[in-house]
Amino acid sequence: AQTVTQSQPEMSVQEAETVTLSCTYDTSENNYYLFWYKQPPSRQMILVIRQEAYKQQNATENRFSVNFQKAAKSFSLKISDSQLGDTAMYFCAFMKHSTGTYKYIFGTGTRLKVLA
Amino acid sequence: GAGVSQSPSNKVTEKGKDVELRCDPISGHTALYWYRQSLGQGLEFLIYFQGNSAPDKSGLPSDRFSAERTGGSVSTLTIQRTQQEDSAVYLCASSETTGDQPRTQYFGPGTRLLVL
């Protein structure tokens, strides 16, 4: 069975600094997708970044980038130039595709607090 | 355009009562997911609808939980004889299932259920 592990329940970072959130997963599949979602106090889950497993190039979205290590089954999120608005819960998610179905497995989340 | 909407946003009920939670997915999205998020926890998968296929109910925690999706659009999650441990935020998400892009989920704001 697939699992997603986020080993950092809470983290904090100073405004304008860089922080990295870790995520590891376990799967025997070769074709899958990985996502990072952000859930601010408003509760609305928002997609931050996504990565296709068949792509070697790490995905980047403005201040957010990932370090995808397929062999190590690691998918960390780096937030550069942290802003107060980045304060939120961050969830790593794994999606598998099997005969027309798409199922997601989420980690338990990392609570990030950006300090002024 | 309109995102995923859920109603009610908050629901307080007494133990033993039945509740219905509603989800309106993004128009044209054929996949719909229900998750449960308990306080301080990650997302627990409940059920997944894909087009006209039989739903994947593998995540439903007990037979008190059921869901339906009428006309391939609106979905209702029903919890019968609610228990205090059912208290959580119930999140709905929808996604497209066409094309080759990762099937990004778009989440609703959730329904916070409190069982007294």
Side-chain angles (χ1 to χ4, degrees):
Chain A
Q2 287 84 1
T3 59
V4 176
T5 302
Q6 293 180 251
S7 59
Q8 304 150 314
E10 293 187 359
M11 294 190 72
S12 61
V13 62
Q14 287 294 136
E15 195 175 8
E17 297 292 309
T18 295
V19 64
T20 299
L21 310 183
S22 67
C23 173
T24 59
Y25 58 94
D26 186 23
T27 183
S28 58
E29 304 200 13
N30 194 49
N31 186 25
Y32 52 88
Y33 303 98
L34 296 162
F35 301 82
W36 277 98
Y37 280 90
K38 167 185 176 181
Q39 187 180 40
S42 67
R43 210 168 69 198
Q44 182 76 52
M45 292 276 279
I46 305 164
L47 175 69
V48 174
I49 198 165
R50 62 189 181 197
Q51 174 83 42
E52 295 93 322
Y54 63 86
K55 289 187 177 179
Q56 292 187 342
Q57 186 174 5
N58 289 324
T60 299
E61 287 287 342
N62 300 315
R63 297 183 295 106
F64 299 88
S65 62
V66 298
N67 182 5
F68 174 47
Q69 302 289 329
K70 191 172 183 178
K73 296 179 183 175
S74 171
F75 183 61
S76 61
L77 174 70
K78 186 172 81 171
I79 306 174
S80 304
D81 186 24
S82 298
Q83 300 176 359
L84 296 178
D86 296 333
T87 293
M89 280 287 286
Y90 287 81
F91 292 97
C92 177
F94 167 97
M95 188 202 81
K96 65 175 180 176
H97 172 204
S98 169
T99 58
T101 66
Y102 304 86
K103 289 188 68 173
Y104 291 75
I105 300 164
F106 285 80
T108 53
T110 295
R111 186 177 302 279
L112 177 67
K113 187 171 185 178
V114 180
L115 307 171
Chain B
V4 178
S5 61
Q6 291 186 246
S7 60
S9 55
N10 292 281
K11 176 72 176 179
V12 180
T13 190
E14 294 179 347
K15 178 181 174 181
K17 300 281 189 181
D18 298 352
V19 296
E20 285 190 352
L21 312 180
R22 177 187 169 105
C23 172
D24 282 88
I26 292 174
S27 178
H29 281 191
T30 55
L32 187 148
Y33 306 77
W34 282 100
Y35 295 92
R36 179 168 68 177
Q37 186 177 26
S38 301
L39 185 63
Q41 300 297 312
L43 274 68
E44 175 188 4
F45 166 77
L46 296 178
I47 189 169
Y48 162 47
F49 294 90
Q50 173 58 59
N52 295 321
S53 303
D56 178 347
K57 303 179 182 180
S58 59
L60 294 179
S62 77
D63 59 8
R64 296 186 295 104
F65 287 73
S66 63
E68 61 179 23
R69 189 179 184 192
T70 54
S73 181
V74 172
S75 177
T76 302
L77 176 69
T78 301
I79 309 173
Q80 296 178 309
R81 305 181 302 282
T82 52
Q83 304 294 311
Q84 289 181 331
E85 61 262 29
D86 298 335
S87 297
V89 174
Y90 290 82
L91 293 170
C92 174
S94 70
S95 69
E96 296 178 316
T97 53
T98 57
D100 295 327
Q101 294 303 310
R103 308 302 191 257
T104 299
Q105 291 187 316
Y106 296 88
F107 283 83
T111 293
R112 184 180 300 278
L113 175 66
L114 178 61
V115 182
L116 301 176

